[in-house]
Amino acid sequence: MKKIFVISGPSGSGKTALLKGLFRSRQIKEKFFKIPTFTTRKPRKGERNFLDYCFLTKEEFLRLKKKKFFLESKKYLEDFYGTPKDFLKKAGKKFPLLCIDVEGALKIKKKFKDKAVLVFIQPPSSKVLEVRLRKRRTEPEEILKKRLRIAKKEVKYAKKYKYRLTNQNLDKTKEELKRILLEEMKDL
Ligand code: 5GP
């Protein structure tokens, strides 16, 4: 059984930008596969179906959920998110990398025990988080406030993770994350 890598971090922690940067590395691309999870959220600008997420309607999501297609799923704000049960198969020979929330990550940990390597990306401060979310301008104010409230709760889970990275500087954090993945990968 190979290792499963799980990255979590609150909205605005920079995890998406981080992963994008990380997957520009040939070493990472050759060995890891970022699993697109399923969501009913509308795609943001630049997001690609089946690569960033598998986008689907709420009806489709609930139908799949009923058929027990998901290993875990969650309602976040007004939308649903879920990890498909066949994610290991999707990764082929590569190591699967999931980018999911804290509850999902802990479920994966419970199921796969030591084979699940959890990395938490935290923002330098809640102020920085707010500034980043506002700069992104992807949500209306009301949703942004909700995301911020959830983010503050999520940061409390950081201590349950094997690794915690404070994302002050994107390039530096990316290098740290890359080093962790490559090290963990060798140590089976
Ligand atoms: P966003 O809308 O910002 O892309 O994602 C909202 C939150 O849902 C993030 O914390 C993201 O990591 C998480 N998420 C994405 N896919 C899944 C999933 O399949 N399961 C769970 N539990 N969380 C997910």
Side-chain angles (χ1 to χ4, degrees):
M1 171 71 206
K2 60 188 168 184
K3 281 188 178 173
I4 295 159
F5 293 85
V6 186
I7 314 280
S8 304
S11 216
S13 60
K15 61 183 186 302
T16 311
L18 202 60
L19 290 181
K20 244 187 200 145
L22 187 75
F23 275 88
R24 281 196 203 106
S25 147
R26 191 177 49 85
Q27 258 176 315
I28 294 290
K29 256 194 297 206
E30 276 173 4
K31 300 283 181 196
F32 297 86
F33 182 77
K34 154 92 171 53
I35 305 290
T37 55
F38 286 63
T39 184
T40 64
R41 165 169 81 58
K42 294 274 166 293
R44 290 190 192 121
K45 202 168 160 237
E47 280 182 331
R48 295 146 307 165
N49 201 9
F50 306 118
L51 282 173
D52 299 299
Y53 275 114
C54 296
F55 294 99
L56 73 180
T57 64
K58 284 187 181 154
E59 291 70 30
E60 285 166 334
F61 189 97
L62 293 173
R63 196 156 39 80
L64 287 176
K65 189 171 157 66
K66 211 168 153 189
K67 283 193 187 158
K68 310 222 178 295
F69 175 80
F70 298 112
L71 182 64
E72 64 79 37
S73 67
K74 138 133 204 164
K75 189 162 188 235
Y76 178 93
L77 296 171
E78 293 311 309
D79 284 296
F80 295 103
Y81 295 80
T83 307
K85 272 189 182 154
D86 65 352
F87 78 91
L88 269 169
K89 208 163 85 197
K90 278 189 178 149
K93 287 203 171 84
K94 298 185 186 181
F95 291 95
L97 190 147
L98 288 163
C99 186
I100 60 178
D101 85 324
V102 291
E103 280 176 32
L106 295 180
K107 277 187 198 154
I108 298 287
K109 178 85 198 157
K110 200 169 168 199
K111 184 163 170 65
F112 296 98
K113 311 272 183 319
D114 284 351
K115 289 292 170 196
V117 179
L118 271 52
V119 184
F120 192 85
I121 310 295
Q122 52 197 6
S125 69
S126 49
K127 191 70 218 155
V128 171
L129 189 97
E130 183 166 354
V131 171
R132 282 188 189 157
L133 275 184
R134 288 196 186 283
K135 254 198 188 155
R136 192 162 87 178
R137 292 210 196 111
T138 46
E139 290 97 3
E141 181 66 21
E142 186 198 324
I143 303 286
L144 192 140
K145 287 223 168 85
K146 284 187 187 161
R147 279 188 176 258
L148 270 173
R149 269 204 297 277
I150 297 174
K152 282 186 185 151
K153 276 193 208 148
E154 285 187 331
V155 170
K156 294 192 183 132
Y157 284 81
K159 53 180 179 298
K160 295 188 188 280
Y161 282 63
K162 179 163 185 186
Y163 298 99
R164 286 174 291 277
L165 300 179
T166 302
N167 185 19
Q168 182 102 46
N169 171 291
L170 198 65
D171 279 333
K172 213 171 134 243
T173 316
K174 190 184 73 189
E175 287 311 313
E176 284 175 58
L177 182 57
K178 184 174 166 185
R179 188 184 50 76
I180 291 172
L181 297 186
L182 296 175
E183 278 300 312
E184 283 280 351
M185 179 195 92
K186 276 190 263 160
D187 172 31
L188 293 172

